[in-house]
Amino acid sequence: MNLVRSLRQFFTQRWHQSRRFRIGGWIALTVLSALLVAVPVVLSQQPVTLRLLMLAPDIPPYRVLVKAFEAENPGIRIQLDEGPNSANINEDLYTTSFLLGNSPYDLINMDVVWTPKFAAAGWLLDLTDEVSQQDLAGFSPQAVESGRYEKRLYRMPVRSDAGVLYYRKDLIENAGLQPPKTLDDLISISKTLQDKKAARWGYLWQGRQYEGLITMFVEVLKGYGGFWIDPQSLDVGLDRPEAVRAAEFLRQTIAQGVSPPGVTTYVEEDTRRIFQAGDAVFLRNWPYAWELVNKEDSRIKGKVGIMPMVPASGQPVGGSCLGGWGVGIAKTTRHPKEALKAVKFLTSQAPQKAYILESGYVPSRRVLFNDPEIVAKYSHYPQLLKVVDQAVLRPSIAQYAQASDILQRYLSAALTNQQPPEQAMKAAAGETRRLLEAGKKS
C-alpha cells in the first residue's frame, strides 16, 4: 500500500507540472492503483503447497490420497517429491534438510523407527493435543504407539506392516499334521517333512547383518519372553537368559539343517524366492510376499497359509515385528494448520480405504481388515489382523540406529559361530548400556 501512495504522489505532481499529462496520467494512475490493490487479494487466493518427500515406488498409490484431499481442500496442494528407492537414503535426505536449518518439507513420511530420532532432535511438531483419543481409537494400538516418543505423539499411521510366518499348508495337511503352535512344533514339522523329502529346507529367515536381521530377531525374542530395550526405563535385556535362548534357537536351526547354511547371508527376497520355488516348509517374511507366492506362475499358488510368529514352549504368544509408515509435521513448516488438516485427512477411514484398495498395503485402521470390499480383493486380510494384533515394537529411543548396529554385529557373530551366543549377547548388552549412558549425559 505504500507503493500505491507513492505512485499517487508521483502522478499528482506530474498532474500539476504538465497539462498534457493530466488525462493519460489519471487513467494510468486509476488502473495501476486498482491492480496494486488487487495483488494482495490474488496472492491470498493462491493455494498453499505442502511438500512431502517419499520413496519413489510409494508415490503412485499415494496419489489416491492426495487427489481426494485436494478435491476437498482446493486451497491446499500436496506436492510429492520423489526420493530414492532406499528408505535409509530418504531418512538421510530428511536429516540433512533439517540439519541445514531450512528444510523444504512440511509433511514428513516416516518409517516406524525414525520417529524417536526425529522427535528427540526437535524436528517434529507435537501432535498430542491436536489428535483426540477418539481419532486414535480406530487404529491398531501398536501402530499408534509407534508414533510416540516419551509418551508424546509425533506421527500418525498411514499404513502398517508386520512380520508373517508363511507355511505350506498342503504339505502339512498331506502329512496329517497341524500348523505349529510353538517353535518346537515348527522344528519338529520341518524335520518330519524334510525326512519325507517333501521339502529341502524347513525354516527360512533373514540372517544377513542388516536391519532385517533385527526385525526377525525381535519376534523370536518376544516368543521367548525376552526384550531388547525398555524405552521407559532404558533397561537392557540382551544378556538375560531369554535373549540368549532366542539367539541359540536361531543358531540351532542352521546346526540341525532345518535352515540352510547360507541363511546368515539372506535378505527378504532371497528367502522368498527359495520358498516360492517350493523348497521350504516355513518362511518368515512380510505381507508383500503373499501376492508374489500366489502369482499365476508360482509353483505354490494356493498352497500357502499365514499366521503370526509362534512362541517358544510355555510362552503365551509370539511376536510379529511392526513395520509401516506414517506421517508427521515438520516443526519448520510455515503452514502448520494446513499440514494438520492434511495429516488428519490422509489417515481418516474413507481415504484410507481407497488407498488400501489401490495399493494392497496393510491397513492401519482395524475396521479395514474386515471391510467386505477390501476382503473381496485381498482375502487374507482378516488373517493379517491376527498378525498385526501380535505386533512387537522395536525400542522407541533416540539412539535407535546405533543400538540396532550393535545388536546386528553381535547377533551376526553368534549366528555365524564367531562367538558363543551367551558371550555375544553379553557383549551386545554391555555396549548398548554404554550407548544409553552416554545419551543421558549428552
Side-chain angles (χ1 to χ4, degrees):
M1 297 308 290
N2 289 333
L3 177 59
V4 174
R5 189 176 301 111
S6 298
L7 287 169
R8 286 187 186 278
Q9 292 174 353
F10 169 76
F11 279 111
T12 300
Q13 291 171 358
R14 294 299 303 271
W15 172 274
H16 293 293
Q17 293 171 2
S18 172
R19 180 181 180 87
R20 289 180 299 174
F21 186 77
R22 290 181 183 178
I23 297 177
W26 180 252
I27 293 173
L29 175 61
T30 303
V31 173
L32 186 58
S33 297
L35 288 173
L36 290 171
V37 170
V39 166
V41 177
V42 172
L43 290 176
S44 67
Q45 293 174 347
Q46 293 296 311
V48 167
T49 298
L50 304 174
R51 291 182 63 180
L52 174 61
L53 175 69
M54 299 191 71
L55 278 70
D58 292 345
I59 287 181
Y62 215 88
R63 294 194 193 281
V64 173
L65 290 172
V66 171
K67 185 176 180 180
F69 173 75
E70 292 179 347
E72 287 197 15
N73 299 273
I76 311 174
R77 294 182 57 204
I78 297 178
Q79 176 180 318
L80 299 178
D81 290 356
E82 182 176 313
N85 292 358
S86 166
N88 289 340
I89 297 177
N90 275 262
E91 180 186 8
D92 291 343
L93 288 174
Y94 273 126
T95 298
T96 301
S97 74
F98 287 128
L99 289 175
L100 290 175
N102 190 28
S103 175
Y105 306 114
D106 303 277
L107 301 171
I108 311 299
N109 186 48
M110 287 180 280
D111 191 358
V112 290
V113 295
W114 300 359
T115 307
K117 170 187 170 180
F118 287 12
W123 297 337
L124 302 176
L125 283 182
D126 188 340
L127 305 179
T128 309
D129 298 328
E130 305 294 342
V131 184
S132 69
Q133 289 302 313
Q134 184 177 357
D135 291 333
L136 297 176
F139 296 100
S140 301
Q142 293 291 64
V144 173
E145 194 61 30
S146 69
R148 297 189 193 278
Y149 175 67
E150 295 187 343
K151 300 183 179 181
R152 307 297 293 181
L153 183 69
Y154 293 94
R155 168 188 174 275
M156 290 283 284
V158 173
R159 62 180 173 98
S160 197
D161 216 356
V164 177
L165 181 62
Y166 292 83
Y167 63 94
R168 286 288 301 277
K169 61 182 181 181
D170 60 324
L171 300 182
I172 291 175
E173 290 171 0
N174 291 342
L177 303 172
Q178 296 293 321
K181 293 183 179 179
T182 67
L183 291 172
D184 286 343
D185 292 342
L186 185 150
I187 298 299
S188 175
I189 293 169
S190 293
K191 289 181 175 180
T192 297
L193 293 174
Q194 284 177 286
D195 290 343
K196 291 177 179 291
K197 307 298 183 183
R200 184 179 182 186
W201 304 112
Y203 175 42
L204 300 173
W205 42 276
Q206 295 76 47
R208 184 182 294 183
Q209 186 178 316
Y210 77 123
E211 185 63 22
L213 173 64
I214 300 302
T215 62
M216 178 279 304
F217 180 69
V218 296
E219 298 174 353
V220 180
L221 180 60
K222 173 68 174 179
Y224 274 92
F227 71 96
W228 177 6
I229 301 169
D230 183 323
Q232 304 302 324
S233 64
L234 297 184
D235 286 344
V236 178
L238 294 177
D239 51 354
R240 297 191 180 192
E242 299 87 353
V244 176
R245 285 197 288 269
E248 178 63 22
F249 164 78
L250 291 168
R251 194 184 70 83
Q252 282 297 318
T253 66
I254 305 171
Q256 296 176 28
V258 171
S259 300
V263 76
T264 54
T265 68
Y266 291 172
V267 298
E268 284 84 356
E269 279 297 271
D270 299 320
T271 57
R272 194 270 303 171
R273 290 189 186 100
I274 296 172
F275 184 73
Q276 190 167 329
D279 290 335
V281 183
F282 297 102
L283 165 69
R284 184 272 169 203
N285 212 303
W286 299 93
Y288 84 91
W290 174 266
E291 182 179 357
L292 297 174
V293 301
N294 284 291
K295 288 175 64 176
E296 285 300 324
D297 61 352
S298 172
R299 294 182 60 183
I300 57 175
K301 181 180 184 294
K303 300 176 181 180
V304 178
I306 60 174
M307 62 190 299
M309 190 62 192
V310 292
S313 298
Q315 294 295 327
V317 292
S320 295
C321 182
L322 185 74
W325 294 79
V327 63
I329 302 174
K331 203 168 188 177
T332 51
T333 180
R334 293 179 298 169
H335 312 292
K337 291 182 179 179
E338 292 85 354
L340 180 61
K341 182 178 288 188
V343 167
K344 289 185 175 182
F345 181 92
L346 296 174
T347 58
S348 59
Q349 185 171 322
Q352 280 282 297
K353 178 178 176 178
Y355 174 62
I356 297 303
L357 284 170
E358 173 71 17
S359 66
Y361 291 139
V362 181
S364 290
R365 287 189 169 271
R366 291 177 56 82
V367 69
L368 297 180
F369 284 91
N370 290 294
D371 181 276
E373 194 174 352
I374 289 178
V375 174
K377 189 172 184 179
Y378 307 111
S379 60
H380 61 298
Y381 274 28
Q383 194 65 24
L384 271 182
L385 180 58
K386 297 178 182 179
V387 175
V388 171
D389 281 344
Q390 288 188 202
V392 57
L393 297 176
R394 285 162 282 178
S396 180
I397 57 171
Q399 309 97 318
Y400 176 80
Q402 299 95 312
S404 175
D405 178 71
I406 292 169
L407 181 53
Q408 288 175 39
R409 287 188 281 109
Y410 286 107
L411 184 57
S412 180
L415 299 178
T416 55
N417 295 315
Q418 298 176 54
Q419 287 183 283
E422 186 171 4
Q423 179 184 337
M425 299 309 284
K426 183 177 180 180
E431 193 167 330
T432 302
R433 290 189 181 103
R434 290 191 291 274
L435 169 72
L436 299 176
E437 283 298 321
K440 290 178 184 178
K441 296 174 183 178
S442 61

